[in-house]
Amino acid sequence: MLFIDSPSNNPYFNIASEEYLLSKYPRESIFLLYVNEPSIIIGKFQNTLAEINLDYVRQHDIKVVRRMSGGGAVYHDMGNLNFSFHTLLGNLDFMDFSTFTQPIVTILNKLGIPAKLQGRNDLLVDGKKFSGNAKLVKNGKMIQHGTILIDSQMEVLGEALITNPLKFVDKAVKSNRARVTNLIGYLPDDFTTIKFKDLLIAEMKQENTDAEMVRLTPDDIRDIEELVRDKYETWDWNFGFSPNYNFKKAIKIPAGFIELHLDVHKGYIEQAKIFGDFFASKPILELEQLLLGKRHQLAEIETVLDTVDLTGYFGKVDVSEVLELFK
């Protein structure tokens, strides 16, 4: 088994590295560890906008990255250790999450912490979740990856993943907002994410005597960064890949009440309807038509709104007020 400790805290880089390693090591078993800067990692089949508090994420410079596997959205930061096992699928049971979570349970049990795998894919202590796991199969290999909450910023986690459930109606998988906890309250004093990572590496070496520590080469880093640019930091992957959904929001402005309905396909607006009790001197259909084919992305919509005289549709109003409709 190859052990790789990522040299980066960039979530785009680390999520991209999982895909890259599949192609570089098509048959080898891999144990990858990484720690990300503040970020939200979205499940492959989720509607990104329905999972995040977009305003909060932008204000706090929290990166949003879609991963290759299914499951729910999770928050990462420097108090959060992430692990990823790559192995040939063979006759392995895809729904068995116990094999690759057992080393974590073993470490915590040795420290007197009553951690255990419960349900399908969660690690719990005292009934609270500190680790969620997800899986995928690609090119004959299976990846199981997960997160371990050591000393994460719980208040940020709560705010970043909160959104108005009435704004979206879609068929995407909604994250299960289970009760979560950090391990720091259970661990010895002065414990850190790095200390836990060292313990996990030591435990894995004990179980895998043939383990080899491997560093990413300059060529590896160059190729991963290219994959980041081409895919993992793009709007099309992180937002546009989202399933079809209907978006609805209403606001009150001085000129009256405005309600917006959008049908969005792969991130692009296919239908737009605007309702309200405002007085319009121009046909509202004109504005609706201008929105068609545009990305459901604030910057692109703002560009559209900047090109028209909004007072003709809504009376005295500015672009920033109308832009609130699309958040």
Side-chain angles (χ1 to χ4, degrees):
M1 178 175 283
L2 305 179
F3 287 8
I4 301 174
D5 186 3
S6 173
S8 176
N9 298 127
N10 184 330
Y12 298 122
F13 180 94
N14 287 326
I15 301 302
S17 69
E18 296 199 74
E19 180 173 347
Y20 170 78
L21 292 171
L22 279 176
S23 59
K24 178 167 183 179
Y25 299 108
R27 302 197 62 80
E28 293 89 341
S29 294
I30 297 171
F31 177 51
L32 169 69
L33 288 166
Y34 57 90
V35 177
N36 281 331
E37 296 168 341
S39 51
I40 294 175
I41 312 302
I42 300 290
K44 182 176 182 180
F45 308 111
Q46 290 189 293
N47 173 8
T48 303
L49 289 175
E51 292 295 331
I52 66 174
N53 181 339
L54 186 60
D55 286 339
Y56 186 90
V57 166
R58 290 179 182 276
Q59 290 166 9
H60 292 81
D61 194 27
I62 297 171
K63 295 178 174 63
V64 178
V65 193
R66 188 183 299 278
R67 61 179 184 266
M68 291 189 295
S69 64
V74 292
Y75 173 71
H76 288 181
D77 63 17
M78 300 298 287
N80 191 330
L81 177 63
N82 305 287
F83 61 92
S84 180
F85 289 93
H86 300 209
T87 186
L88 289 172
L89 178 60
N91 296 320
L92 295 176
D93 180 1
F94 181 72
M95 294 310 296
D96 172 28
F97 283 85
S98 62
T99 300
F100 297 121
T101 55
Q102 187 56 48
I104 300 162
V105 172
T106 298
I107 290 171
L108 293 172
N109 290 168
K110 287 179 180 178
L111 293 170
I113 300 169
K116 61 181 178 180
L117 176 68
Q118 187 165 311
R120 182 182 60 178
N121 59 336
D122 295 335
L123 294 180
L124 275 63
V125 58
D126 290 340
K128 294 182 180 181
K129 176 179 172 180
F130 67 87
S131 174
N133 291 261
K135 279 192 177 185
L136 69 121
V137 172
K138 187 173 182 179
N139 300 336
K141 292 191 79 173
M142 180 177 71
I143 292 180
Q144 178 175 324
H145 47 196
T147 176
I148 307 171
L149 293 170
I150 307 293
D151 193 13
S152 189
Q153 294 180 296
M154 286 297 179
E155 66 282 1
V156 177
L157 183 155
E159 293 290 341
L161 290 175
I162 288 175
T163 190
N164 180 356
L166 300 179
K167 285 168 55 176
F168 295 85
V169 178
D170 58 55
K171 296 182 180 179
V173 179
K174 293 291 190 298
S175 292
N176 176 20
R177 308 292 195 226
R179 288 192 307 162
V180 296
T181 189
N182 277 316
L183 288 174
I184 196 67
Y186 298 86
L187 293 166
D189 292 342
D190 299 324
F191 219 87
T192 65
T193 302
I194 301 305
K195 285 185 179 181
F196 195 93
K197 180 172 69 173
D198 292 342
L199 279 181
L200 185 52
I201 290 174
E203 180 69 26
M204 288 297 300
K205 283 183 176 179
Q206 187 173 330
E207 294 183 8
N208 300 272
T209 54
D210 62 341
E212 177 187 355
M213 292 295 297
V214 175
R215 291 181 180 273
L216 296 178
T217 67
D219 286 345
D220 291 331
I221 292 172
R222 181 201 63 214
D223 290 345
I224 294 171
E225 289 176 343
E226 181 178 353
L227 185 58
V228 167
R229 289 191 299 272
D230 292 345
K231 179 177 180 179
Y232 281 93
E233 65 179 4
T234 67
W235 182 91
D236 282 342
W237 173 250
N238 294 320
F239 289 86
F241 189 81
S242 297
N244 301 348
Y245 61 86
N246 304 114
F247 175 89
K248 174 183 176 182
K249 190 173 180 183
I251 62 171
K252 183 73 168 63
I253 61 172
F257 172 80
I258 309 176
E259 183 176 316
L260 173 71
H261 292 250
L262 300 177
D263 290 341
V264 184
H265 178 75
K266 299 299 181 184
Y268 289 83
I269 299 170
E270 287 196 335
Q271 295 290 333
K273 290 297 296 180
I274 299 172
F275 305 95
D277 61 1
F278 48 85
F279 296 99
S281 61
K282 299 172 66 175
I284 199 67
L285 178 63
E286 292 179 358
L287 181 57
E288 293 170 347
Q289 292 294 316
L290 288 174
L291 295 171
L292 302 186
K294 301 300 188 294
R295 295 189 294 184
H296 188 189
Q297 180 194 39
L298 294 183
E300 186 157 328
I301 292 168
E302 185 175 10
T303 299
V304 173
L305 298 180
D306 280 335
T307 65
V308 298
D309 178 11
L310 292 175
T311 60
Y313 302 110
F314 306 116
K316 189 176 181 180
V317 67
D318 59 37
V319 169
S320 63
E321 289 176 300
V322 178
L323 198 60
E324 288 294 319
L325 269 174
F326 296 86
K327 294 182 178 180

